[in-house]
């Protein structure tokens, strides 16, 4: 149980860092938008700032639900319906986060670089392969769904055992 408590504190720290990162990003984009010394619209497209904030909110929401599930583990033991619900919400949000990251990376590569003989140039391919963290996040989201199914099976077995004499 002590490892679960450590995980709970780590998730709380990650939530705090993510919230501060989103706030700093909003402040930074606001400062850039109101800056009259240089034109940053060519460096940072207007739509990109919204994508970053939405992805940050998706990740933050996923971590909040994951932390709520871990807190539910601590308060109500491992096999409880609340933790299953929170795990599934966290998995869905993390899945959407990773899929949007993969989609926008591909769109960004295709939109910002000309195709040469039907293929993106080497800089685009390097950018595409360096952003593989979204694939890792996709695998983690699938892992969260698997853990949710295991906990759900445990809840079912626990309820059946409580009904037998």
């Amino acid at each position: 149980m002590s490892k679960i408590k450590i995980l709970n504190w780590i998730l709380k720290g990650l939530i705090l860092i993510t919230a501060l990162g989103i706030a700093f990003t909003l402040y930074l984009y606001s400062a850039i938008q109101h800056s009259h010394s240089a034109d940053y619209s060519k460096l940072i497209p207007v739509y990109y700032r919204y994508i970053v904030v939405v992805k940050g909110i998706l990740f933050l929401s996923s971590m909040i639900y994951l932390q709520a599930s871990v807190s539910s583990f601590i308060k109500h033991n491992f096999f409880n319906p609340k933790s299953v619900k929170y795990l599934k919400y966290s998995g869905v949000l993390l899945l959407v986060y990773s899929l949007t990251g993969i989609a926008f990376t591909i769109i960004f590569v295709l939109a910002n670089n000309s195709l040469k003989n039907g293929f993106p140039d080497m800089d685009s391919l390097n950018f595409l392969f360096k952003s593989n963290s979204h694939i890792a996040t996709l695998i983690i989201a699938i892992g969260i769904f698997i853990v949710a199914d295991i906990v759900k099976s445990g809840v079912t077995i626990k309820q059946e055992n409580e009904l037998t004499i």
Side-chain angles (χ1 to χ4, degrees), residues 2 4 15 17 35 41 76 83 88 97 139 143 148:
S2 64
I4 297 293
I15 289 168
I17 290 169
S35 172
S41 63
H76 306 291
S83 61
K88 286 187 178 183
Y97 166 80
I139 293 169

Side-chain angles (χ1 to χ4, degrees), residues 21-38 40-41 44-46 48-50 52-53:
I22 292 170
F24 180 72
T25 302
L26 288 171
Y27 170 76
L28 187 65
Y29 285 143
S30 173
I32 287 173
Q33 184 177 5
H34 297 298
S35 172
H36 299 290
S37 61
Y40 292 102
S41 63
I44 303 172
V46 176
Y48 187 73
R49 61 185 77 162
Y50 299 117
V52 169
V53 171

Side-chain angles (χ1 to χ4, degrees), residues 6-78:
I6 292 171
L7 178 63
N8 190 31
W9 282 105
I10 290 172
L11 287 171
K12 285 180 181 180
L14 184 62
I15 289 168
L16 178 66
I17 290 169
T18 304
L20 290 174
I22 292 170
F24 180 72
T25 302
L26 288 171
Y27 170 76
L28 187 65
Y29 285 143
S30 173
I32 287 173
Q33 184 177 5
H34 297 298
S35 172
H36 299 290
S37 61
D39 183 21
Y40 292 102
S41 63
K42 293 179 182 172
L43 181 65
I44 303 172
V46 176
Y47 65 87
Y48 187 73
R49 61 185 77 162
Y50 299 117
I51 292 169
V52 169
V53 171
V54 167
K55 281 180 54 187
I57 291 170
L58 280 171
F59 184 76
L60 178 65
S61 301
S62 174
M63 292 301 108
I64 289 172
Y65 277 116
L66 189 60
Q67 190 273 328
S69 176
V70 170
S71 289
S72 182
F73 285 157
I74 293 170
K75 291 177 187 173
H76 306 291
N77 210 340
F78 287 109

